[in-house]
Amino acid sequence: MKNNVFCVLCFGALIITLMLSITSCNKSSARLTADMILINGNILADASEMGRFEAMAVKGDTILALGTNREIEKYQDKNTKVIDAGGKLVVPGFIDSHVHFLQGGISLSSVMLKDAKTKEEFISRIRDFAKTVKPGEWILEGNWDHQNWGAELPVREWIDQYTPDNPLFVSRSDGHMALANTAALKAAGVNRNVKDIEGGSIERSAGGELTGIFRDNAMALISSHIPDYSADQYDRGLEAAMKYVASNGVTSVDHMGTIADIGVFQRALKAGRLITRIYSTALIPDYKRIQEKMKETGQDDRWLKAGGAKIFADGSLGSHTAAFAEPYSDDPSTSGLLMYGEKNMLAQVLMADSAGLQVVVHAIGDRANHLVLNFYQEAIRKNGPRDRRFRIEHAQHLLPSDIPRFKELGVIASMQPWHLTDDGRWAEKSIGPERIKTTYCFRSLLHAGATLAFGSDWYVAPPVPLEGIQAAVTRQTLDGANTGGWVPAEKITVQEALIAYTINGAYASFDEHRKGTLEPGKLADFVILDRDIFSIPHETIKDTKVIMTVVGGKVVYNSE
Ligand SMILES: [Zn+2]
């Protein structure tokens, strides 16, 4: 009996051992099968480490392994999709840390004024576009730049005769001023008796007539009368935006927008239509609703997260509404404007910070940046330490003494290098030779230990990271006037720029555990480029073509 019992136990143990080995066999064979492998790549897995791999295996939306072709081919079976990178450079998907995503998508189908080079072209583009829209429909976006034709501001008389039946409110490319036609003034019930608005300005002719130009807060006089886009228009705008950025290698964006925008993203998420990962901010006065949205999206969703609370400290350089400590060099009557009084702005920062939100403030002028750093300092003192990752969006003009404070206070400088190719043409005229030395001061910020996260500010500027990298590295301006770079001391390297578009972008949205580098366990978001941006002349980086963009193991753009 004893023996028999022993044998039964033995047999039982044998069965259990066999079962265990079968399950572990199943487990290991499952682990060894990839849904996708990329071979023959020149994979830069981590821009800060600069190590390169030949191949990568992907399971679901996650990276399984990196190695040589031989090491990775072990993960292949008959169902594995194989991408042959043909020796091309593969980098982590670009993270664009500052976009206005829906406006960008919608502007793709609106009147295109951004590259209008003359007053005549500005007029004829509007004339031609007006023929394509129904009477009564608003003409919006546009994104014109009066610096293209010698800085004469447009007036409504230029276009009134072509747009009698269509209210028009087209923005300057920086979004800080816009031109209304007479039909728009009528629709908004605004006439020459309108009063000035705090934090904004209204352009008037010598005779006191409205020219049609409204700046910053005054823009709401018109924009509050524009009917909202339909849900369908938003959905199409989002789809156009996602496709467009995918073709430029962008796999994640930080969206600067409103609570309503988050609803558009949630709708797309529910329908499984997102192909770009979105971290969405909304405006601070809505902070309670941002908290609700944070709960709804969760902080672990791979596609959509709410979290940032944004306010504007000031306006823009091009509109002369960026707040400086000293007056503008070409207009001593103004030193810009603050969107809110100092007390009000501090209160908003403290409120959003104590609610546990990431505070994100737009600051362009050196005074605006100085004040925001003060407010952040006060928030840390008052609300105590935590991993809050304050951000300043643009951080465009800094007082030299403020540069080290970014590191000291743990403030992320969220900057858009392409803007300098644009502003560099005329910024010195506006603020003089001394202040331009700490304009877009990438090198000084890095030297002081600050974290730089790069983005585009699309729709304002093109959402093309390769153009942004070239801008940061060469600091050449659009007019070709600064071949050695505009304020060349502030140039940075290709590697530093790529870190700002990947690793630091992930950090800026609390996503470094799953994005920014290509490592086992992280999301399979990557881009194949047609050349190695580290070994070509810097002034040709923008000619680099994206061959393929992959988000979560799915090809979302293929140039072929
Ligand atoms: Zn912006």
Side-chain angles (χ1 to χ4, degrees), residues 98-100 174 176 256 310 312 362 393-394 416 419 456-460:
H98 187 120
V99 294
H100 304 272
D174 62 9
H176 290 273
M256 305 292 141
K310 194 185 176 202
F312 288 83
H362 162 115
E393 302 301 308
H394 311 303
Q416 303 79 35
H419 281 330
S456 65
D457 205 8
W458 189 47
Y459 65 95
V460 179

Side-chain angles (χ1 to χ4, degrees), residues 42-194:
N42 173 11
I43 304 172
L44 178 62
D46 178 337
S48 69
E49 296 283 339
M50 300 300 279
R52 307 244 180 161
F53 293 90
E54 201 175 16
M56 177 164 56
V58 174
K59 179 87 180 165
D61 65 356
T62 304
I63 297 167
L64 209 50
L66 290 129
T68 61
N69 282 347
R70 271 188 75 172
E71 284 163 345
I72 294 304
E73 274 162 5
K74 286 189 303 202
Y75 294 90
Q76 186 182 353
D77 79 353
K78 60 182 194 319
N79 296 318
T80 303
K81 178 186 171 77
V82 179
I83 295 172
D84 186 338
K88 302 294 189 204
L89 181 66
V90 180
V91 295
F94 296 121
I95 297 169
D96 188 325
S97 294
H98 187 120
V99 294
H100 304 272
F101 212 40
L102 295 175
Q103 232 172 327
I106 288 168
S107 70
L108 289 173
S109 61
S110 189
V111 60
M112 183 66 77
L113 301 171
K114 172 98 190 151
D115 55 348
K117 290 275 175 289
T118 61
K119 167 184 171 181
E120 291 69 34
E121 215 175 331
F122 174 91
I123 294 169
S124 67
R125 297 251 182 117
I126 289 174
R127 182 195 63 207
D128 295 347
F129 185 81
K131 291 176 191 156
T132 69
V133 295
K134 291 185 215 115
E137 215 171 281
W138 282 72
I139 299 173
L140 302 169
E141 312 294 340
N143 305 319
W144 48 270
D145 186 358
H146 61 307
Q147 299 289 350
N148 287 349
W149 57 78
E152 183 189 358
L153 281 174
V155 294
R156 60 193 161 104
E157 284 77 19
W158 289 7
I159 44 160
D160 269 346
Q161 57 172 309
Y162 306 114
T163 54
D165 304 319
N166 296 96
L168 166 147
F169 197 48
V170 287
S171 315
R172 182 172 186 269
S173 59
D174 62 9
H176 290 273
M177 61 171 143
L179 174 71
N181 67 355
T182 300
L185 296 182
K186 266 195 200 132
V190 170
N191 59 41
R192 57 175 292 155
N193 301 322
V194 68

Side-chain angles (χ1 to χ4, degrees), residues 213-231:
I213 290 286
F214 294 79
R215 291 190 181 85
D216 288 303
N217 284 348
M219 288 162 58
L221 288 168
I222 308 294
S223 59
S224 60
H225 295 271
I226 300 170
D228 196 9
Y229 294 112
S230 66

